[in-house]
Amino acid sequence: MTRPGLVVFDLGGVVVRICRSWTEGCRAAGVEPRTGCDAAVGGPAMRALVDRHQRGAVACDAFFRESAALLGAHTPGEVERVHRAWILGDYPGVADAIDRIHAAGLATSCLSNTNASHWEQLRLSPAFMRIGSRHASHLLGLAKPDPAIYRAFEREVGAGAGSLVLFDDLPENVAAARACGWTAFEVDHAGDTAAQVTAALRGMGWIP
């Protein structure tokens, strides 16, 4: 691939740390986790609700109510507290890595599966605010790994697939991007994400 036109970041698991289970979210929020909720969160009904929420088809208040009903063990208020505690802050070094990417003459963007509430919280993230253009599932009405969201993103930024490089922590999102003609790297969310991004870009000769 020639020098990319745009370096695109997923957010959770790449730019910001997030909770990876309902129990972890409860602990971050100071809510007592209830038995069986991790299994319920991973079930088809909750996955479908989360997908609708991320595509902007369900408002946040309705999401909290419907989630509580599906879990059957938490109030809507507790669900909201967990939801608002889900983002744990920037990964160390990512803001500086984005600065180095810009200094090398490359533009940045993001494409994330998220929701209106978390999108507002992300404004507190120094790394997020450094990203040049910001795009999300709830704004586009589509979610990864649906190929349609990658095509919609291309139209939004006015760039062809061959000029886009994605960093994402979910293999299905990486695979879908590659199938659409993007260059994509899988990031290990449990590791040093800034170092992984920097190493990949240096390895391709795109940054010094």
Side-chain angles (χ1 to χ4, degrees):
M1 179 186 178
T2 59
R3 187 174 171 83
L6 197 58
V7 178
V8 186
F9 294 96
D10 180 37
L11 295 175
V14 178
V15 174
V16 295
R17 296 180 299 113
I18 59 172
C19 295
R20 310 300 295 200
S21 71
W22 181 257
T23 296
E24 185 182 0
C26 284
R27 289 174 179 154
V31 171
E32 182 66 27
R34 308 288 194 268
T35 302
C37 283
D38 276 319
V41 166
M46 183 62 82
R47 289 201 307 271
L49 176 60
V50 169
D51 178 67
R52 289 167 55 219
H53 189 214
Q54 290 183 335
R55 288 186 289 105
V58 177
C60 290
D61 287 347
F63 174 75
F64 302 145
R65 291 194 304 271
E66 292 183 39
S67 295
L70 287 173
L71 293 172
H74 288 282
T75 67
E78 288 175 326
V79 172
E80 181 175 2
R81 284 171 60 191
V82 173
H83 179 81
R84 296 193 183 281
W86 204 258
I87 298 172
L88 301 172
D90 286 1
Y91 279 101
V94 172
D96 289 340
I98 294 170
D99 285 343
R100 287 196 295 274
I101 292 166
H102 290 161
L106 296 174
T108 58
S109 188
C110 68
L111 179 62
S112 179
N113 285 354
T114 188
N115 54 77
S117 174
H118 284 167
W119 195 243
E120 287 302 314
Q121 286 180 255
L122 284 161
R123 296 181 183 277
L124 300 174
S125 157
F128 173 76
M129 295 305 294
R130 279 171 164 79
I131 294 171
S133 67
R134 307 177 195 110
H135 305 268
S137 57
H138 72 290
L139 300 174
L140 294 171
L142 299 161
K144 296 180 289 185
D146 182 352
I149 195 171
Y150 300 95
R151 298 309 185 204
F153 178 87
E154 292 166 16
R155 292 191 295 272
E156 287 284 317
V157 300
S163 68
L164 300 173
V165 175
L166 173 70
F167 290 93
D168 201 299
D169 68 318
L170 296 183
E172 59 269 29
N173 295 344
V174 170
R178 289 173 178 167
C180 287
W182 296 28
T183 299
F185 297 93
E186 184 178 341
V187 173
D188 177 6
H189 68 82
D192 184 336
T193 65
Q196 293 172 63
V197 169
T198 300
L201 293 174
R202 280 185 181 144
M204 299 296 287
W206 296 328
I207 64 171

